[in-house]
Amino acid sequence: MATVPLRSIQGKWVMACTILASAMAFIDATALNVILPSLQQHLKATGSDLFWILNAYLLMLASLILVGGSLGDRLGRKKIFMIGIFIFITGSAACGFSSSATMLIIFRVLQGIGGALMIPGSLSLISSSIDEKERGKAIGTWSAATTLVTMGGPALGGALADAGLWRYIFFINVPIGIMVLFFLAVKVKETKEENNTGRPDFLGAVTIAMGLALLTFGFLRLPDVGFTNIQSYGAITAGLLLLIAFIIIEYKSRYPMMPLGLFSNAIFSGANLLTFFLYAGLGAGMLFLSLNMVQIQGYTQLESGLTFLPFTIFMVVNARFAGSLADKYGPRLFLIAGPFLAGTGLLLLSYIQQTDGPSDYWTTFLPGILVFGFGMSLTVAPLTAAVMGAVSDHFSGTASGINNAVSRIAGVFANAVFGSMAVILFTAALNKEIKTLPLNQQQKQAVIAQTANLGNASVPEGLSIIQEKKVYAAYHTSFIDAYGKIMKISAGLGFLASFMALIFIRKPDLKKKENHL
């Protein structure tokens, strides 16, 4: 398959289209973390609803992104990429018009279907179109540019949410998507594997989607009904069995969406384990950091979004440079140091207690965000380059789909497990706090009933002013306690990701890669 230099006209159009399309998908994820308080208020959403709004999108990505990568390889990468963009912007417009949490969850599913076809197409187009000698640099450019745009998502989302215009986070995708579709149609050439005639593995896709959905449902129901209720243990058990069935289906399938043979490559397996642990920690850390800032520390949603600017600057300055150095020296050192620093940043953030708001940002949140951002900036491009470099070119779409699926599965895991854990930890801490409060048993039960709303818990009616203040303080103290524990676990996942790199990541054996795959 013919490739082109990064600086050629064709190369530049490939980069521009993949960057803009990817940015649409990623910007919603980063912006949503910041606007969750607005969604909770305007759509009357519970804490569980918020996690479903996040997970409805991630579930579809995690289950169908593998099919998306395979379809691109077989039917044409540009064609599937364009279909994905169209579905995504249709879903985005529908999300913008949603009048309830349930409607938004349903249309986020549609967005996820589009994203599953669109996201693997971006890296697959780059890998199949750009000359191999410049591929790491191209991926670094893609990482830096998409990160610049997507990490601006929190600031944009915060500004729109504070103005009561959170719906425009979804509407903004429509003109961008239409523009990308036009330029893809007239400027970018099609690429596909001519000898790849296999059928899409829809049975595998349905199995993993149902498995992940049941796991999510089981974990999110856990705080309300307990583990002894069939809604929790039954759903979790069924979800695990379906994931095992998915592995069996992939093993026996003639055309698997996730070829298990790829995982016999230690670098590919290690990079995906690293991805899972790092992005689970990242997802939980970013989510609870945003909730803490807005609901507990008194930041506006715009101020919360702006606090991530140092993270953005590091990603823009370092990502492409790290990608180039990974081309020259190999990704191992970056994939050891980057996740370790990211975990250290999350650990620093876990020790933050009640602050005086944005005026304390420079001595409280900023140091942790700087270390966290620097670590992630060293990781993103080398990690992607390691994944794509571990397999032969005709598996580029599948490899991209698998790695993206792993990162989304990590996000589902973070939202479901950490969402459930946060409610349990918040409830446990609040139970200790209210023991000393001047409340009767009925009032205490009303206070505890609010824990499902996490930081948005409201003070029950009928309390005196003094009681209200003490309950309000108990909510804050308990949430900060739960936040600290969640962030420490997230940090541990970052350190575990670093350990995966130490064990598995080596310089690729090109002969073995070609012969084995």
Side-chain angles (χ1 to χ4, degrees):
M1 186 181 299
T3 56
V4 298
L6 181 58
R7 295 192 178 188
S8 66
I9 298 298
Q10 176 74 6
K12 289 179 179 178
W13 279 115
V14 168
M15 294 304 299
C17 291
T18 55
I19 286 168
L20 284 173
S22 300
M24 283 194 305
F26 296 150
I27 197 170
D28 274 8
T30 57
L32 272 183
N33 280 345
V34 176
I35 69 170
L36 287 178
S38 281
L39 295 181
Q40 201 165 11
Q41 181 181 359
H42 290 113
L43 299 180
K44 309 300 181 187
T46 65
S48 179
D49 289 336
L50 295 184
F51 293 116
W52 274 111
I53 289 168
L54 295 173
N55 269 359
Y57 178 72
L58 292 175
L59 278 169
M60 300 314 297
L61 276 182
S63 55
L64 295 179
I65 206 167
L66 298 170
V67 173
S70 299
L71 283 175
D73 288 343
R74 292 164 181 167
L75 304 179
R77 296 180 178 98
K78 188 181 85 166
K79 179 193 296 183
I80 298 302
F81 191 38
M82 292 179 70
I83 292 172
I85 293 171
F86 178 78
I87 295 173
F88 184 83
I89 61 176
T90 302
S92 296
C95 286
F97 287 113
S98 297
S99 58
S100 68
T102 301
M103 285 182 66
L104 182 56
I105 291 168
I106 292 170
F107 292 132
R108 287 281 285 167
V109 168
L110 185 60
Q111 260 196 322
I113 294 171
L117 300 179
M118 181 173 72
I119 292 174
S122 59
L123 282 175
S124 184
L125 268 179
I126 291 173
S127 294
S128 61
S129 302
I130 303 299
D131 187 84
E132 185 175 1
K133 294 180 181 178
E134 296 183 292
R135 200 165 292 159
K137 189 175 181 180
I139 292 170
T141 302
W142 175 87
S143 299
T146 53
T147 302
L148 172 62
V149 177
T150 57
M151 291 311 295
L156 176 63
L160 292 173
D162 284 342
L165 302 173
W166 60 265
R167 296 178 185 276
Y168 285 86
I169 285 297
F170 300 108
F171 290 142
I172 197 173
N173 293 328
V174 178
I176 295 173
I178 291 173
M179 180 175 65
V180 173
L181 285 174
F182 173 77
F183 286 120
L184 279 169
V186 301
K187 296 291 185 181
V188 176
K189 296 179 181 178
E190 181 64 279
T191 67
K192 65 179 179 179
E193 297 297 327
E194 298 296 338
N195 298 325
N196 199 335
T197 58
R199 294 173 297 176
D201 181 16
F202 290 116
L203 177 60
V206 171
T207 304
I208 193 173
M210 290 178 62
L212 290 171
L214 284 168
L215 277 176
T216 299
F217 177 80
F219 277 113
L220 291 181
R221 289 296 293 158
L222 191 58
D224 292 331
V225 300
F227 193 77
T228 56
N229 190 292
I230 193 171
Q231 291 185 41
S232 56
Y233 79 79
I236 292 171
T237 302
L240 290 172
L241 290 174
L242 282 171
L243 293 184
I244 293 170
F246 169 72
I247 299 297
I248 296 171
I249 289 169
E250 297 309 286
Y251 179 74
K252 293 185 174 182
S253 174
R254 187 177 178 185
Y255 304 110
M257 65 195 242
M258 189 177 75
L260 299 182
L262 292 177
F263 289 93
S264 62
N265 182 304
I267 296 175
F268 185 78
S269 295
N272 279 290
L273 281 171
L274 187 159
T275 299
F276 179 83
F277 293 127
L278 181 62
Y279 279 85
L282 172 70
M286 297 285 277
L287 172 59
F288 286 96
L289 185 60
S290 295
L291 290 176
N292 184 17
M293 284 180 167
V294 175
Q295 297 183 333
I296 303 300
Q297 305 295 348
Y299 287 64
T300 66
Q301 289 165 107
L302 173 58
E303 287 168 341
S304 173
L306 290 174
T307 61
F308 293 107
L309 282 179
F311 188 110
T312 307
I313 293 169
F314 271 130
M315 291 299 297
V316 172
V317 171
N318 285 346
R320 183 169 182 172
F321 182 60
S324 298
L325 289 178
D327 280 345
K328 188 174 182 179
Y329 300 107
R332 186 170 190 264
L333 181 61
F334 298 95
L335 297 182
I336 294 172
F340 184 85
L341 287 172
T344 302
L346 290 170
L347 186 61
L348 290 173
L349 290 167
S350 73
Y351 290 106
I352 295 170
Q353 299 297 310
Q354 184 69 57
T355 73
D356 288 332
S359 62
D360 277 354
Y361 169 73
W362 310 103
T363 57
T364 54
F365 289 100
L366 179 61
I369 288 175
L370 287 175
V371 177
F372 176 54
F374 184 67
M376 288 301 299
S377 72
L378 294 180
T379 306
V380 175
L383 176 57
T384 306
V387 170
M388 305 303 278
V391 302
S392 53
D393 291 346
H394 62 277
F395 276 106
S396 62
T398 304
S400 171
I402 289 173
N403 189 244
N404 274 284
V406 169
S407 68
R408 308 307 156 182
I409 290 170
V412 173
F413 170 84
N415 290 333
V417 177
F418 285 93
S420 173
M421 189 184 299
V423 174
I424 292 171
L425 292 172
F426 182 41
T427 304
L430 189 59
N431 269 316
K432 292 180 181 178
E433 290 291 324
I434 64 173
K435 283 182 179 178
T436 59
L437 298 186
L439 302 173
N440 60 41
Q441 192 60 35
Q442 185 178 359
Q443 290 170 329
K444 288 180 179 179
Q445 289 176 353
V447 169
I448 292 296
Q450 286 291 318
T451 54
N453 296 318
L454 293 172
N456 197 47
S458 58
V459 177
E461 295 181 358
L463 301 184
S464 68
I465 295 176
I466 294 175
Q467 286 175 321
E468 285 183 0
K469 288 182 178 180
K470 290 187 175 182
V471 169
Y472 189 71
Y475 282 150
H476 278 216
T477 301
S478 302
F479 183 90
I480 290 172
D481 181 86
Y483 158 84
K485 290 174 181 174
I486 293 291
M487 296 297 280
K488 286 181 175 67
I489 296 171
S490 300
L493 291 172
F495 297 141
L496 190 55
S498 177
F499 186 61
M500 293 300 103
L502 184 65
I503 296 174
F504 291 106
I505 304 300
R506 297 288 187 271
K507 189 173 182 179
D509 185 336
L510 297 180
K511 288 185 179 180
K512 185 177 180 181
K513 180 177 82 169
E514 291 295 336
N515 292 337
H516 194 73
L517 300 177

